mmCIF file of all heavy atoms in Angstrom:
data_model
loop_
_atom_site.group_PDB
_atom_site.id
_atom_site.type_symbol
_atom_site.label_atom_id
_atom_site.label_comp_id
_atom_site.label_asym_id
_atom_site.label_seq_id
_atom_site.Cartn_x
_atom_site.Cartn_y
_atom_site.Cartn_z
ATOM 1 N N PRO I 38 1.187 15.594 -25.576
ATOM 2 C CA PRO I 38 -0.065 14.868 -25.850
ATOM 3 C C PRO I 38 0.045 13.418 -25.879
ATOM 4 O O PRO I 38 -1.042 12.744 -25.893
ATOM 5 C CB PRO I 38 -0.457 15.477 -27.251
ATOM 6 C CG PRO I 38 0.828 15.933 -27.768
ATOM 7 C CD PRO I 38 1.686 16.382 -26.686
ATOM 8 N N PRO I 40 0.030 9.618 -24.887
ATOM 9 C CA PRO I 40 -0.787 9.045 -23.764
ATOM 10 C C PRO I 40 0.027 8.776 -22.484
ATOM 11 O O PRO I 40 -0.515 8.662 -21.354
ATOM 12 C CB PRO I 40 -1.310 7.777 -24.277
ATOM 13 C CG PRO I 40 -1.500 7.908 -25.795
ATOM 14 C CD PRO I 40 -0.200 8.784 -26.081
ATOM 15 N N SER I 81 -0.796 21.841 -0.123
ATOM 16 C CA SER I 81 0.022 23.031 0.029
ATOM 17 C C SER I 81 0.768 23.102 1.337
ATOM 18 O O SER I 81 1.863 23.602 1.349
ATOM 19 C CB SER I 81 -0.813 24.349 -0.213
ATOM 20 O OG SER I 81 -1.425 24.376 -1.424
ATOM 21 N N THR I 143 -10.048 7.684 -14.942
ATOM 22 C CA THR I 143 -10.257 6.599 -15.918
ATOM 23 C C THR I 143 -9.270 5.418 -15.616
ATOM 24 O O THR I 143 -9.691 4.302 -15.579
ATOM 25 C CB THR I 143 -10.161 7.056 -17.329
ATOM 26 O OG1 THR I 143 -11.163 8.022 -17.621
ATOM 27 C CG2 THR I 143 -10.330 5.884 -18.315
ATOM 28 N N ARG I 149 -8.753 -0.814 -11.059
ATOM 29 C CA ARG I 149 -9.559 -1.453 -10.019
ATOM 30 C C ARG I 149 -10.716 -2.225 -10.557
ATOM 31 O O ARG I 149 -11.522 -2.855 -9.699
ATOM 32 C CB ARG I 149 -9.994 -0.425 -8.988
ATOM 33 C CG ARG I 149 -8.879 0.224 -8.206
ATOM 34 C CD ARG I 149 -8.080 -0.748 -7.464
ATOM 35 N NE ARG I 149 -6.983 -0.148 -6.697
ATOM 36 C CZ ARG I 149 -6.091 -0.766 -6.076
ATOM 37 N NH1 ARG I 149 -6.132 -2.063 -5.920
ATOM 38 N NH2 ARG I 149 -5.109 -0.204 -5.427
ATOM 39 N N GLY I 197 -18.663 23.787 -0.454
ATOM 40 C CA GLY I 197 -18.540 25.136 0.047
ATOM 41 C C GLY I 197 -18.905 25.023 1.606
ATOM 42 O O GLY I 197 -19.434 24.084 2.104
ATOM 43 N N GLU I 201 -24.573 21.721 4.232
ATOM 44 C CA GLU I 201 -25.048 21.129 5.504
ATOM 45 C C GLU I 201 -25.325 19.580 5.421
ATOM 46 O O GLU I 201 -25.199 18.900 6.358
ATOM 47 C CB GLU I 201 -26.136 21.853 6.089
ATOM 48 C CG GLU I 201 -25.953 23.275 6.399
ATOM 49 C CD GLU I 201 -27.176 24.002 7.055
ATOM 50 O OE1 GLU I 201 -28.055 23.288 7.420
ATOM 51 O OE2 GLU I 201 -27.195 25.238 7.145
ATOM 52 N N ASP I 293 -15.623 11.565 -17.342
ATOM 53 C CA ASP I 293 -16.240 10.988 -18.545
ATOM 54 C C ASP I 293 -15.432 9.818 -18.975
ATOM 55 O O ASP I 293 -14.256 9.965 -19.482
ATOM 56 C CB ASP I 293 -16.316 12.060 -19.665
ATOM 57 C CG ASP I 293 -17.048 11.454 -20.862
ATOM 58 O OD1 ASP I 293 -17.290 10.220 -21.003
ATOM 59 O OD2 ASP I 293 -17.469 12.284 -21.730
ATOM 60 N N LEU I 294 -15.949 8.631 -18.671
ATOM 61 C CA LEU I 294 -15.128 7.391 -18.908
ATOM 62 C C LEU I 294 -15.036 6.953 -20.434
ATOM 63 O O LEU I 294 -14.176 6.039 -20.732
ATOM 64 C CB LEU I 294 -15.714 6.262 -18.121
ATOM 65 C CG LEU I 294 -15.638 6.209 -16.621
ATOM 66 C CD1 LEU I 294 -16.510 5.183 -16.030
ATOM 67 C CD2 LEU I 294 -14.142 5.985 -16.187
ATOM 68 N N SER I 404 11.732 12.492 -50.799
ATOM 69 C CA SER I 404 12.538 13.389 -50.067
ATOM 70 C C SER I 404 13.153 12.836 -48.814
ATOM 71 O O SER I 404 13.791 13.588 -48.069
ATOM 72 C CB SER I 404 11.664 14.620 -49.733
ATOM 73 O OG SER I 404 10.497 14.247 -49.011
ATOM 74 N N LEU I 435 19.533 8.259 -53.947
ATOM 75 C CA LEU I 435 20.100 7.944 -52.658
ATOM 76 C C LEU I 435 21.284 8.794 -52.245
ATOM 77 O O LEU I 435 21.883 8.537 -51.205
ATOM 78 C CB LEU I 435 20.372 6.417 -52.465
ATOM 79 C CG LEU I 435 19.205 5.573 -52.872
ATOM 80 C CD1 LEU I 435 19.754 4.127 -52.861
ATOM 81 C CD2 LEU I 435 18.089 5.713 -51.810
ATOM 82 N N ARG I 490 7.530 11.081 -39.994
ATOM 83 C CA ARG I 490 8.199 9.798 -39.614
ATOM 84 C C ARG I 490 7.458 8.537 -40.071
ATOM 85 O O ARG I 490 6.251 8.554 -39.908
ATOM 86 C CB ARG I 490 8.454 9.743 -38.082
ATOM 87 C CG ARG I 490 9.209 10.875 -37.539
ATOM 88 C CD ARG I 490 8.969 11.260 -36.147
ATOM 89 N NE ARG I 490 9.196 12.630 -35.883
ATOM 90 C CZ ARG I 490 8.802 13.273 -34.805
ATOM 91 N NH1 ARG I 490 8.152 12.676 -33.820
ATOM 92 N NH2 ARG I 490 8.994 14.482 -34.568
ATOM 93 N N ALA I 560 16.910 -30.202 -24.173
ATOM 94 C CA ALA I 560 16.293 -29.387 -25.220
ATOM 95 C C ALA I 560 15.555 -28.241 -24.676
ATOM 96 O O ALA I 560 15.506 -27.240 -25.261
ATOM 97 C CB ALA I 560 15.430 -30.304 -26.114
ATOM 98 N N GLU I 703 -1.517 -31.200 -14.584
ATOM 99 C CA GLU I 703 -2.801 -30.645 -14.264
ATOM 100 C C GLU I 703 -3.140 -29.350 -15.042
ATOM 101 O O GLU I 703 -3.937 -28.508 -14.590
ATOM 102 C CB GLU I 703 -2.953 -30.385 -12.732
ATOM 103 C CG GLU I 703 -2.868 -31.610 -11.842
ATOM 104 C CD GLU I 703 -3.133 -31.263 -10.349
ATOM 105 O OE1 GLU I 703 -2.984 -30.175 -9.978
ATOM 106 O OE2 GLU I 703 -3.528 -32.268 -9.786
ATOM 107 N N LEU I 705 -4.489 -29.997 -17.968
ATOM 108 C CA LEU I 705 -5.756 -30.625 -18.419
ATOM 109 C C LEU I 705 -6.364 -31.394 -17.230
ATOM 110 O O LEU I 705 -5.777 -32.249 -16.606
ATOM 111 C CB LEU I 705 -5.414 -31.634 -19.477
ATOM 112 C CG LEU I 705 -6.509 -32.677 -19.981
ATOM 113 C CD1 LEU I 705 -7.688 -31.803 -20.561
ATOM 114 C CD2 LEU I 705 -6.039 -33.591 -20.995
ATOM 115 N N TRP I 730 6.409 -43.657 -18.458
ATOM 116 C CA TRP I 730 6.854 -42.883 -17.320
ATOM 117 C C TRP I 730 5.796 -41.874 -16.904
ATOM 118 O O TRP I 730 5.423 -41.637 -15.806
ATOM 119 C CB TRP I 730 8.158 -42.125 -17.580
ATOM 120 C CG TRP I 730 8.837 -41.452 -16.368
ATOM 121 C CD1 TRP I 730 9.616 -42.021 -15.427
ATOM 122 C CD2 TRP I 730 8.694 -40.079 -16.119
ATOM 123 N NE1 TRP I 730 9.978 -41.027 -14.565
ATOM 124 C CE2 TRP I 730 9.447 -39.906 -14.894
ATOM 125 C CE3 TRP I 730 8.113 -38.952 -16.648
ATOM 126 C CZ2 TRP I 730 9.557 -38.658 -14.314
ATOM 127 C CZ3 TRP I 730 8.146 -37.733 -16.103
ATOM 128 C CH2 TRP I 730 8.909 -37.608 -14.857
#
Side-chain angles (χ1 to χ4, degrees):
S81 297
T143 297
R149 295 299 180 182
E201 297 181 12
D293 184 343
L294 288 169
S404 56
L435 303 176
R490 299 157 210 165
E703 296 189 337
L705 169 61
W730 188 82

